[in-house]
Structure formats: C-alpha cells, structure tokens
Amino acid sequence: MAHLCLLHLALLHLLQLCCPTGFIDLPASVDILESTRPRSVVVEFRIQSAKPDPIVQIVSLTPDSRVFETPIVSRVNASNIFTVQIILNDSLDYETVGLHSLRLALVAGGDRVERTFHVQVIDVNEPPQFLFSIVAIQPDTAKGQFNIDGRGGVMSSQSFDYQNGPRVQNISVFENGGAGDLVASVRANTTTLDVQYTFVKSYPPYTIGREDGIITTAFNLDLESDRSLEHRVLLVRAFSVSEGRRGTATVTVNVLDVNEHAPFCVPSVFVLTVPETTEIGKSLGTVMCGDIDVSNQNVLLTLHDNDASLYHFRLQNSQLQVNGSLDYDTAIIASNSFQYEASILATDTGTPPLTTVIPIMITVTPVNEHDPWFVGPFEIVVPENARWGSVVGTVKAEDGDWRFDALRYSIPGGDALFSINPVGGELYLKGSLDFEEREMYSLSVQAVDFDQDADLTVQRTGFAAITIRVQNLNDNPPVCDPVSYESTIFSTRSAGLPILNLSCTDRDGKLLTATITNG
Ligand SMILES: *[C@@H]1O[C@H](CO)[C@@H](O)[C@H](O)[C@H]1NC(C)=O
Ligand SMILES: *[C@@H]1O[C@H](CO)[C@@H](O)[C@H](O)[C@H]1NC(C)=O
Ligand SMILES: *[C@@H]1O[C@H](CO)[C@@H](O)[C@H](O)[C@H]1NC(C)=O
Ligand SMILES: *[C@@H]1O[C@H](CO)[C@@H](O)[C@H](O)[C@H]1NC(C)=O
Ligand SMILES: [Ca+2]
C-alpha cells in the first residue's frame, strides 16, 4: 500500500512537476555595444518544455522596430531543454534608441509563458559619424506662407549635424499630392559613393530612395480618409558598407490639410409654400451642415436677402425663420410669381474658405385679409330730365388684397330705378326722374371681392350708401288762373282800378313775372 502510494506520487511528480514549460535562464537585460554587427547573437538562454516543438516569439518590441530577428529555438539533447538565440537583424544606434524592451512569449502546445527582456545599447563613440543634412528640393516656401495652390514641401532649410545639430527635422507637405509626391531629401554629408538610405522600420505611406535618400509618398495621402497621416516620425538610416559607418536622422512629416470640400448641407435647398399670414418667428426648417475636410469642420451660416426678401427672414441657431410679415399684395412680389428669394451661405473655415449656397424659394399664397371699401362718390346729382338708360354716375371701390381691382359691384336686393354695372361701377337709370315728385334717393351698393384667397370661396364685401340728388330743371310752364279772361269795361272807368287778379303758379317753383305781350 505504501509502495503504491509512493509510486503514485512519483508519477504525479513526473507529469506535473518534472517539466513545466518555462524560461530557465533568461536574464532581465543584456548590455550590447552600439557597434555590434548585424547577425550577432544578442542573448542565448534556455527554456524547458514538455512538448516537442516549443516556439519563442517577440510579442512586442518597444520602441517598435525590426532590430531583432525571430528567436531561434534549438533542442539541446534528448531532454526537455532547448536553447533560444536572439539575433540582431540590423545595426543599433544608441542615439536613436538606447533601450529596447522585448516581450517574449514561449508557446508550447497549449502552454504559454511570457517574460520581458531588455536590451541596453551601450554608446560607442565612434566618430566620425555621418553628418546629415536635409535639403528641401521643392520651392523653399517659408513656413506660414504656404497657400492652397502652391502645393509643396514646407520646411526649415537649415541643415543639421547628426552629432550636434537638431535631431529632428520638421517637414510639412500638403495632402492629396498623389503617389510619388516629393516629401524631402535626406543626404549624408560624405564623399563616400556607396551610401544607402533606408527607413529604420517600414512606414507604409512613405518610401525612400535607397541611393538618393529622396523620401516620397507611397500613395496619395488623404487626411480625410486617414487622419493618422497628419504626423509621422520617420527614422532614416544611412549606411556605408565600405566605410562601415552609419547614422540616423529623424524626420517628422506633417501632412497639411487642403481645403478641398465645400460644406454639405441638409436641406440643400428650401422650396416652400406658405400663406402670406405666416406669423413672425415661425420656423421654416433647420439647416444642418458638415465638412469633410479635417481642419475646417466649423461651418458658418449667413443669410443673404435680395430687395424683395430683405428683413423677411432670419437665421436663428441654424433655423430659418420668418422675420417680417410676408405679403402677397405687392406689385414686386406679384412680379416674381409671389416668390421670396434668398439664400443661405454655408462657409467653412479653410484657407481660402469654401462656400455652399442653399437657395431659398418661399412662395406665398393669398389670404383675403381686407374688406373692399368705397372711395366715392357718395353723392351724385342727376338732372331730372336724365334719360332712361343713361349713366347717372360711377362708384368706385378698392381692396387691400392683390389684385386690388378684383371686385364686382351690385345693389343688394336690386332697385326699381337704378342698376349698376358689376364690372365698372356705372349707375344706370332705368326709369325717369322728376324733381317735383322726389328730390333724393338713397341707394345702397356693395362691392364683393374675388380671387383674393387661396380658398376661392373666401370673399369679402364692402358697402356704401350713395345719395342721388335729382336736379330741378324748368320743365313746367307757369299755370295761371284764370287761363283766359274776357270782360267789358267802361271807357269811363277810372285808371288804376284792377281789372283782374291773375293767380299763376309754376311747379318748378320759380319767381314768376307777367308781361302784357300786346294790346
Ligand atoms: C542535456 O542537456 C542539459 C543541459 O545542457 C544537461 O544538463 C543534461 O545533462 C543533458 N542530458 C544528457 C542526457 O546529455
Ligand atoms: C512642425 O510643423 C507643424 C506644422 O507646421 C507644427 O504644427 C509643429 O508644431 C511643428 N513641430 C515642431 C517641433 O516644430
Ligand atoms: C559636412 O562635413 C564636414 C566635415 O566632416 C563639415 O565641415 C561640413 O560643414 C558638413 N556639411 C554640412 C552641410 O553639414
Ligand atoms: C428682422 O427684423 C428686424 C425688424 O423687425 C430687423 O431689425 C432685423 O434686421 C431683421 N433681421 C434680418 C436678419 O433681416
Ligand atoms: Ca379683399
């Protein structure tokens, strides 16, 4: 029983404790001379693994580079011990990166163990280093003076000494220059002919000419499709195999936005029909604008009127509102098919700014707002001999609604003696007048408007009382009593005695005079 138990423990030990997967003697860090040649072994350490094919990966490397090759794992003997070598892939440069931190993962079957490992680069003073100068090839446009059509590199033309001068060159290029656009030229200050230029690591947007050190864009750099292009730090290395020397320069490339896109707005046009009585402050809609360009996404909205629409609209927080009473009833608006025209300009903040125009076309519909009113005459004098059918006068009414003359005249209930022309307002006599019978008539007339409202059944009426005065004419002869008189008087009749008292009247009521026409 005790033996069995021991055996059992030993098995357990073999299975679980004997050979856990792990790093055996990986140091926390190693020091390595900056002058160490590529292909040299940086570190060799052991791992153990129960599984036959362990692999060791560099999970991450800070700073990111390709300085190290993929670790090489080899089996030592029949045991579970393996050796791992990390080999230098490229030359080191203390001035660029002094410390590389590697995160290593040992993966064996389902097991995974991670460790961090540091490579400390030891500075080797190995003058003369290359002296680099960076020279602008494109027009030497001074910073801040670039403009939209003068595409091209903008940079300091100051050269720098790798050892003593500024370590970073700041280059600016405009976006959308296409593939192959010149960015900068890096040149090693040496007479050696076999200088070659490379990027320390790959920067997909850029390529560098191996022989000439000319950095160009690998594809069209469009900030609108990739914002991260805005700033990129490029490490450029030059090396001479014959001289066994090298140097590194840091080039910061800034991609400047070009204002290529005018703002886009919704709605892109306002076409509305509203009643002329639409109240002030009423919203006609809200404009929403955006801009694709990365550097000028603010959009300013301004309202532009014309003479007819001046002050009638306003913009309040992107909302188009009625600002002044709209009117259907003016000749100006009628001449423009009852349409108010204005526009909203949406302007971005680019240099130079780009603008999108949002046309506004607001058609007003009529509302019958006013009763017609009579302007006179309100008193008409008609000679009593006016003939049947003659025009005794013309009344006139007006209206505040367009069209102002869209009126029809009538006499409510009709009249026995007068009629009116519905269109012209002429009053006709349809009987005869006699001052002696009736001196005055009071006539009620009305004017009814039409076509002054979007709803054609909406009509309004104005009334007036017209006084018609009959003008007296001398149309009746005097009437005397007696009509004839015959009498015999004595010749001795004394003078001065009355013979006859004539009583005469005249219906026209004039002062009468009598004269003896003969005898
Ligand atoms: C296998 O290698 C390890 C490490 O070098 C060593 O300790 C061990 O004795 C070797 N085993 C045999 C069987 O050679
Ligand atoms: C480099 O240039 C860009 C664009 O002109 C500017 O925004 C940035 O501040 C500059 N950086 C340095 C370090 O001069
Ligand atoms: C190039 O190097 C020489 C000496 O090595 C130095 O005198 C010269 O100023 C350098 N030129 C530039 C442009 O840095
Ligand atoms: C709106 O109307 C007021 C007067 O009522 C005027 O002072 C103002 O300028 C108008 N606004 C616009 C944008 O036309
Ligand atoms: Ca009216």
Side-chain angles (χ1 to χ4, degrees), residues 367-372 399-402 407 449-450 452 460:
V367 174
N368 196 351
E369 300 164 280
H370 307 280
D371 288 339
D399 198 295
D401 298 297
W402 186 270
L407 300 171
D449 62 25
F450 61 94
Q452 290 182 345
R460 299 177 74 132

Side-chain angles (χ1 to χ4, degrees), residues 143 146 170 172 231 254 256:
K143 220 186 249 181
F146 44 80
N170 199 9
S172 296
H231 304 289
N254 304 285
L256 304 178

Side-chain angles (χ1 to χ4, degrees), residues 319-352:
Q319 193 178 67
L320 180 65
Q321 297 180 345
V322 176
N323 183 56
S325 305
L326 302 180
D327 198 357
Y328 185 89
D329 310 314
T330 68
I332 293 176
I333 201 78
S335 69
N336 200 38
S337 310
F338 307 100
Q339 194 175 77
Y340 286 98
E341 289 172 333
S343 54
I344 294 172
L345 297 194
T347 307
D348 66 23
T349 50
T351 313

Side-chain angles (χ1 to χ4, degrees), residues 273-284 322 324-326 364 367:
T273 300
V274 298
E276 61 171 322
T277 49
T278 303
E279 64 272 22
I280 289 170
K282 165 97 176 172
S283 168
L284 299 174
V322 176
S325 305
L326 302 180
V364 286
V367 174

Side-chain angles (χ1 to χ4, degrees), residues 303 305 310-315 323-324:
L303 182 69
D305 308 285
L310 192 64
Y311 306 134
H312 283 99
F313 303 98
R314 66 182 177 223
L315 268 176
N323 183 56

